[in-house]
Amino acid sequence: MKKISVHITLMFIAVLSCCLNCYANVSFQNLKCEMLENPLGIGTVHPRLSWQIMSDARNTNQTAYQIIVASTAAKLAANQGDLWDSHKVNSDQSILIAYAGKPLISRTVCFWKVKVWTSNVESKWSEPAKWTEGLLNTADWKARWVGYDHGFPWDSVSKFSRLSARYYRRQFDVKPGIKKATAYIVGLGHYELYVNGKTIGDQVLAEPPTDYTQSVKYSTFDVTRNIKQGENTIATVLGNGRFFTMRPKYKPKKIKEFGFPKMLLQLEVEYANGTKQLIVSDGSWKFTADGPIRTNNEYDGEEYDATKEFPGWNSGGFDDSKWLKAELVESPGGRVEAQMNEPIKVMATVKPIGVTQLKPGTWTMDMGQNMAGWLQMRVMGNRGDKVTLRYAETLQPNGELYVANLRDAKVTDVYTLKGGEQETWHPVFVYHGFRYVEISGYPGKPELSDFEGQVVYDAMATIGHFETSNPLINQIYHNAYWGILSNYKGMPVDCPQRNERMPWLGDRAVGSLGESFVFANGNLYAKWLDDIADSQKPDGAIPDVAPAYWNYYSDNMTWPGTYILVADMLYRQFADRSSIEKHYASMKKWMAYMRLKYMKDYIVTKDKYGDWCVPPESPELIHSKDPTRNTDGQLIATAYYYHLSGLMQKFAKLLHKPADAQAFATLQLNIGNAFNQKYLDTKNFKYDNNTVTANLLPLYFGITPAANRQAVFKNIVDKIQNEANGHISTGVIGTQWLMRGLTEYGRPDLAYRIASNSDYPSWGYMVKHGATTIWELWNGDTANPAMNSHNHIMLLGDLIGWFYQDLAGIKTINAGFKEMVMIPPVIESLDKVDASYQTPYGLVKSSWTSDKTNFNWHITIPPNSKALVYIPVNSTSNITEGGQKITGIKNIKLIKMENGRAIFQIGSGSYGFEVKN
């Protein structure tokens, strides 16, 4: 009996140990609500919840989950889901699961956690996460819009707008027993918020730009720790942003104007006894515009006079008797909605690498990197000294700033010292695109240690890593990375430096896909789709710029078509179908508008831009004038209508609209037939004038008859190899499909040659000529300065997507990388690719090395995902994984051999494949 008892005890310990190990092997990370971490004041009552599973065990798949949502942290800890207990749900879904509990109302606080079951274990509960509901109804807002719809004597509203910042303050008393305090604010165009002298939040350039006549975004802040019993002060500074436009009356009917800065603010103090106190923006606030920020204009810069500071203005005890009373003003007209995309923040710092004296009192500082943000300066001097900082991307041969490509943007900050002590300053309501800064008026010699570049963009995580054995490719990726982040400013803009900085749709059509491998940009692009929808006219027209700050409704297929392409990107990359659901009707309306207005015999007859910015025949040209280089606009427009019809058919099926799906399928078939009849030369198997773009679009979009595809592709290859000498010859449109098109038709080597060229025209040419970002033009060093931004990303096309999808071999099969297909290319001149990407399910890695005899591939697949991997090999007997023959390894399933590759299905985990031929 004693031996049996000991044996049972040992068995129990072993089982317990096994269970504990099982629990330890499954944990969680990145619990998110609406793809945000612990968001405050969200604007939906059916938020979507996501989590990532972590496990060292291979083939870990979720089989069920349970979500608990509680109204207090204590109830959540006690597993009391008084708001929602999903109970055990048999499902492998772990991303974007819609809340389905009790109806949520404004201000509801929600604590939540999750646990899962896998094929092996039941996990422990995750750590708790949280979200709060915002002000969901118009009636929740008791605040009034306040502002001052006039300028002051020191302001100017002429062509070059100069408007000083407006400073607002309000004192109030708070009783004992504070439980909670929450601030809700809309500050147009930008704001800073203070409570009792402390800055609230670490966001900058708040809030995100919109068409303010259609929507404005409010932010929510928990200010409980900032409120105290007794006297309190809440204060704001309002800057111009995109609200008070940078160029009023610049070109009649071109620029949309909104008026003078204004604010909507509501502070709610909740007491332990259940009572509430409201402090709202109204006529009781005091304000002045005669403060230190004398002007703030995104194009021209910020001027700050420290001698005009009023210490303590945002705290108690300040004498504001000479300040003006805030005026009640009209609403800008837009819906007041919660901000659901990440705020802009200072995301990195750059140390300058050199400073050179141009002449007495004038210096040029080199940051070593083209960037977007501002320069923070430390300075010590006399009261009234003025330091002027002027920004540029490049230098003239004599060392002076090159500013011709900035057009009439003044890009100048001026700081006036108060004197007597060391002062630290940077602008707060403007940003600059720059590598070089001209410094004049600085007391003494400017030292590198007294300056710091602060990099400003939307606070989204960097989720991708990519490098190869080719240093030039690595530098191109570096340049792309900096170009992408430079142009995230609450919306995707074209450039950060000149008098434009507009959200052109065409720049992001396919580029958004590549960007999504680098940054977690899902919320930004979902917000941008709302901007596009807000810009749509009643007849269905969509502009080329959205928000429509510029009145460019030129009725193209290519630029507005980005509306549909980005929605598809959000679905494929993030499994976000809500954007498709939300915008389907608007997309359909636009497609109908273009068809009824411009389609004749199934050919779309309207185009404005063509294949924008093909490499021109002369170095000073912006646009080619050679008809053999340019692609017919109607061909491009019709091909795009065909492709977008296919996406609309896909969307209609996804949304269970079979009649719409059939209508788009029929229309697409008719367009394809008409396109081939009009443009396909059936003798020479070329389209129209045989440009790469003219042949590539119908081939890649599936218009080309199957029997003719290889012949058409041969024409593409011949054009690139023979006429372009292995270089790129496409503009913005063709480049969006080029690299993937070449690879999918069996020529990744040619795509790689284009990517790794270092002579003109190429991305490498930009690198060899000193670029640290991407140029607007292939000949950006020689073209007319009217349009040669040195920090643009539209010419990236599908390059970054190709880096990840093809060179690294990381592709989603359906949506969100639940299932992947991994097919790295075999390119003799490329020895190594090392890439990783944070999918919605977790981190996927693909790292391969190759030589003439060996191919080694290290792969990581996140839990709850699986992949088909295509290993280049002639026989499976030549493959080992972790030192073992692959045929005998559990959970690695051979699907088939195909075209010199062995196709295996693998589950989650880390793998090391070795091939010896």
Side-chain angles (χ1 to χ4, degrees):
M1 284 294 294
K2 187 174 182 180
K3 288 183 179 181
I4 294 175
S5 176
V6 170
H7 180 67
I8 291 173
T9 301
L10 292 173
M11 286 181 61
F12 176 76
I13 293 172
V15 170
L16 179 61
S17 175
C18 179
C19 290
L20 290 173
N21 287 334
C22 289
Y23 275 123
N25 284 337
V26 175
S27 57
F28 299 92
Q29 66 177 2
N30 291 333
L31 269 69
K32 293 188 177 182
C33 172
E34 287 298 310
M35 296 192 285
L36 297 167
E37 293 185 9
N38 299 321
L40 301 180
I42 67 171
T44 174
V45 294
H46 297 289
R48 298 164 300 166
L49 307 179
S50 306
W51 57 87
Q52 291 177 350
I53 299 168
M54 294 188 293
S55 174
D56 294 331
R58 284 186 177 179
N59 208 36
T60 298
N61 292 301
Q62 176 184 302
T63 58
Y65 67 81
Q66 182 178 1
I67 299 170
I68 288 180
V69 182
S71 58
T72 67
K75 289 181 179 179
L76 186 73
N79 296 335
Q80 297 175 14
D82 60 324
L83 294 177
W84 184 36
D85 186 342
S86 71
H87 302 290
K88 185 177 181 180
V89 178
N90 293 320
S91 170
D92 64 355
Q93 185 178 358
S94 57
I95 61 173
L96 301 177
I97 297 172
Y99 170 85
K102 291 181 180 179
L104 300 177
I105 61 174
S106 297
R107 308 174 183 85
T108 304
V109 180
C110 302
F111 299 87
W112 71 284
K113 61 183 179 180
V114 63
K115 71 174 177 178
V116 300
W117 289 258
T118 71
S119 49
N120 301 315
V121 301
E122 174 184 346
S123 77
K124 291 182 177 180
W125 286 104
S126 70
E127 293 297 315
K130 177 184 177 182
W131 84 84
T132 69
E133 294 291 321
L135 302 182
L136 303 174
N137 306 300
T138 303
D140 293 322
W141 285 96
K142 307 303 180 185
R144 307 281 298 276
W145 284 99
V146 298
Y148 188 75
D149 288 338
H150 310 279
F152 289 87
W154 52 88
D155 293 329
S156 169
V157 293
S158 62
K159 173 182 172 181
F160 294 93
S161 65
R162 293 176 55 85
L163 192 72
S164 52
R166 279 99 190 279
Y167 296 77
Y168 290 82
R169 68 187 309 274
R170 164 83 147 79
Q171 290 189 185
F172 59 96
D173 290 326
V174 172
K175 295 177 291 187
I178 304 166
K179 178 181 178 183
K180 181 182 176 183
T182 307
Y184 306 90
I185 181 173
V186 181
L188 304 176
H190 293 319
Y191 68 85
E192 288 192 316
L193 175 63
Y194 302 89
V195 174
N196 292 326
K198 301 295 184 181
T199 304
I200 303 302
D202 58 353
Q203 69 287 341
V204 299
L205 299 176
E207 62 185 61
T210 58
D211 180 338
Y212 308 103
T213 65
Q214 300 296 317
S215 68
V216 296
K217 307 296 183 183
Y218 72 86
S219 295
T220 303
F221 298 98
D222 184 343
V223 295
T224 307
R225 293 183 178 181
N226 303 95
I227 298 294
K228 61 183 180 181
Q229 180 181 334
E231 183 183 86
N232 290 262
T233 302
I234 187 166
T236 63
V237 191
L238 297 187
N240 301 328
R242 295 297 177 106
F243 195 77
F244 185 80
T245 185
M246 296 82 73
R247 292 290 183 268
K249 304 173 180 63
Y250 186 37
K251 290 185 179 180
K253 298 183 180 179
K254 177 184 176 182
I255 296 177
K256 191 166 188 175
E257 298 183 45
F258 302 99
F260 290 87
K262 56 186 63 179
M263 173 181 71
L264 186 72
L265 184 148
Q266 187 157 307
L267 172 64
E268 301 182 352
V269 180
E270 183 180 344
Y271 292 97
N273 62 8
T275 60
K276 283 187 177 182
Q277 179 183 0
L278 287 182
I279 297 90
V280 300
S281 52
D282 56 22
S284 66
W285 287 58
K286 302 295 288 291
F287 95 99
T288 184
D290 194 12
I293 300 179
R294 307 308 293 173
T295 180
N296 58 108
N297 181 308
E298 191 173 302
Y299 292 165
D300 298 331
E302 187 166 300
E303 297 181 16
Y304 188 97
D305 186 348
T307 68
K308 302 286 290 184
E309 289 179 348
F310 17 70
W313 75 275
N314 51 14
S315 300
F318 179 77
D319 180 8
D320 60 13
S321 60
K322 295 182 179 179
W323 285 29
L324 303 174
K325 291 189 66 175
E327 292 186 351
L328 300 180
V329 295
E330 292 293 323
S331 159
R335 305 177 305 275
V336 180
E337 301 174 328
Q339 178 176 339
M340 299 292 285
N341 59 298
E342 292 84 354
I344 301 171
K345 294 184 179 182
V346 174
M347 297 295 289
T349 58
V350 175
K351 298 294 184 182
I353 62 172
V355 61
T356 303
Q357 187 171 18
L358 280 177
K359 57 185 178 181
T362 302
W363 306 76
T364 299
M365 182 166 288
D366 181 3
M367 305 305 296
Q369 172 65 53
N370 201 352
M371 55 175 279
W374 48 62
L375 193 67
Q376 178 168 283
M377 170 181 65
R378 289 187 307 193
V379 60
M380 187 170 182
N382 297 319
R383 184 176 180 85
D385 286 350
K386 289 182 184 292
V387 181
T388 300
L389 308 173
R390 193 162 66 114
Y391 300 80
E393 297 182 296
T394 56
L395 298 177
Q396 300 180 59
N398 65 0
E400 294 181 359
L401 299 184
Y402 177 75
V403 295
N405 69 331
L406 306 183
R407 302 172 182 167
D408 69 2
K410 298 181 183 298
V411 295
T412 300
D413 295 334
V414 179
Y415 180 76
T416 302
L417 279 69
K418 57 189 170 189
E421 60 185 7
Q422 187 177 82
E423 302 171 46
T424 300
W425 178 82
H426 64 73
V428 294
F429 290 138
V430 304
Y431 70 91
H432 303 281
F434 67 102
R435 173 174 173 171
Y436 300 95
V437 187
E438 180 187 273
I439 305 169
S440 57
Y442 189 88
K445 179 186 176 182
E447 301 291 342
L448 297 182
S449 59
D450 289 326
F451 295 87
E452 175 182 87
Q454 297 189 341
V455 184
V456 173
Y457 63 97
D458 299 56
M460 55 184 68
T462 298
I463 57 175
H465 165 80
F466 180 86
E467 64 178 312
T468 73
S469 55
N470 185 334
L472 180 61
I473 294 290
N474 297 342
Q475 185 63 42
I476 291 170
Y477 181 82
H478 167 95
N479 290 9
Y481 174 86
W482 278 90
I484 293 166
L485 67 84
S486 293
N487 288 295
Y488 284 155
K489 293 294 178 293
M491 60 184 177
V493 296
D494 63 331
C495 60
Q497 76 295 91
R498 68 186 180 210
N499 67 344
E500 190 166 0
R501 312 183 191 200
M502 287 293 160
W504 288 94
L505 274 68
D507 293 23
R508 305 299 175 128
V510 172
S512 61
L513 170 67
E515 296 166 29
S516 71
F517 281 103
V518 184
F519 295 100
N521 61 13
N523 288 321
L524 173 69
Y525 274 103
K527 179 264 182 187
W528 196 41
L529 291 186
D530 292 342
D531 293 334
I532 297 171
D534 283 345
S535 71
Q536 187 173 34
K537 289 185 174 181
D539 62 4
I542 290 175
D544 302 331
V545 175
Y549 300 123
W550 286 0
N551 185 29
Y552 279 6
Y553 287 83
S554 52
D555 285 352
N556 293 282
M557 283 302 306
T558 47
W559 265 240
T562 298
Y563 190 27
I564 295 173
L565 292 170
V566 168
D568 185 56
M569 179 278 288
L570 291 173
Y571 179 66
R572 291 185 60 79
Q573 297 295 102
F574 300 100
D576 176 15
R577 61 177 281 165
S578 67
S579 289
I580 295 173
E581 294 169 342
K582 185 175 186 179
H583 296 285
Y584 178 83
S586 296
M587 295 172 184
K588 181 181 175 183
K589 185 177 183 180
W590 173 69
M591 292 286 284
Y593 167 81
M594 294 298 294
R595 174 175 56 83
L596 294 172
K597 192 169 184 179
Y598 298 110
M599 186 177 287
K600 183 178 180 181
D601 297 328
Y602 298 106
I603 299 296
V604 181
T605 60
K606 181 67 191 300
D607 175 79
K608 178 178 179 180
Y609 302 117
D611 196 13
W612 187 255
C613 293
V614 299
E617 59 275 13
S618 184
E620 78 283 355
L621 289 177
I622 292 174
H623 299 296
S624 171
K625 301 180 184 300
D626 180 358
T628 66
R629 294 171 179 259
N630 296 318
T631 306
D632 177 58
Q634 293 188 28
L635 181 151
I636 293 173
T638 306
Y640 259 67
Y641 202 107
Y642 178 95
H643 181 61
L644 297 176
S645 294
L647 291 179
M648 291 300 292
Q649 182 183 350
K650 168 185 169 180
F651 295 169
K653 290 179 180 178
L654 189 67
L655 302 180
H656 307 294
K657 298 177 181 293
D660 280 7
Q662 183 58 54
F664 280 115
T666 301
L667 180 60
Q668 189 182 41
L669 178 64
N670 290 331
I671 293 171
N673 291 335
F675 185 95
N676 285 324
Q677 185 175 357
K678 181 176 177 65
Y679 294 112
L680 178 60
D681 178 345
T682 54
K683 181 179 179 181
N684 298 300
F685 303 108
K686 64 179 183 179
Y687 282 90
D688 201 51
N689 64 342
N690 200 34
T691 64
V692 170
T693 297
N695 290 319
L696 177 63
L697 295 185
L699 182 66
Y700 194 85
F701 292 165
I703 302 174
T704 306
N708 303 143
R709 289 173 186 167
Q710 287 303 320
V712 171
F713 183 66
K714 183 178 183 301
N715 276 319
I716 293 174
V717 172
D718 289 345
K719 290 283 287 189
I720 294 172
Q721 289 183 327
N722 300 326
E723 292 189 23
N725 193 28
H727 288 70
I728 198 160
S729 62
T730 51
V732 170
I733 300 303
T735 307
Q736 292 175 357
W737 317 98
L738 178 65
M739 307 300 284
R740 294 172 300 163
L742 290 174
T743 302
E744 289 180 21
Y745 275 86
R747 292 302 305 270
D749 60 316
L750 186 54
Y752 179 71
R753 179 180 174 183
I754 290 172
S756 56
N757 283 328
S758 61
D759 54 341
Y760 178 81
S762 67
W763 298 288
Y765 175 82
M766 302 177 191
V767 171
K768 291 298 183 182
H769 285 74
T772 59
T773 45
I774 303 297
W775 295 346
E776 182 178 16
L777 300 173
W778 299 109
N779 56 333
D781 58 332
T782 59
N784 187 307
M787 197 184 97
N788 64 355
S789 157
H790 281 214
N791 195 348
H792 244 70
I793 59 170
M794 68 181 186
L795 288 185
L796 282 173
D798 67 348
L799 179 68
I800 304 304
W802 179 74
F803 280 170
Y804 281 92
Q805 291 182 320
D806 292 295
L807 286 191
I810 303 172
K811 297 181 183 178
T812 182
I813 291 179
N814 292 314
F817 294 84
K818 177 70 171 173
E819 298 180 54
M820 286 169 272
V821 56
M822 305 183 74
I823 314 176
V826 178
I827 302 173
E828 289 187 3
S829 53
L830 186 63
D831 302 326
K832 174 186 176 182
V833 170
D834 183 11
S836 63
Y837 166 60
Q838 187 74 237
T839 78
Y841 292 91
L843 193 67
V844 57
K845 293 183 180 180
S846 174
S847 180
W848 61 261
T849 59
S850 178
D851 56 33
K852 292 182 179 179
T853 58
N854 298 317
F855 179 83
N856 296 320
W857 194 10
H858 294 277
I859 295 174
T860 298
I861 305 298
N864 212 23
S865 295
K866 60 184 178 180
L868 291 176
V869 296
Y870 287 63
I871 301 176
V873 69
N874 294 319
S875 170
T876 58
S877 62
N878 295 341
I879 309 174
T880 59
E881 194 283 312
Q884 299 180 356
K885 288 289 185 180
I886 196 169
T887 51
I889 300 177
K890 184 180 179 182
N891 295 326
I892 299 179
K893 180 182 178 182
L894 176 65
I895 304 299
K896 61 179 177 179
M897 294 290 300
E898 181 180 83
N899 298 326
R901 292 181 184 263
I903 306 174
F904 293 91
Q905 184 179 81
I906 61 175
S908 67
S910 295
Y911 301 82
F913 297 106
E914 300 176 10
V915 177
K916 294 185 178 182
N917 289 314

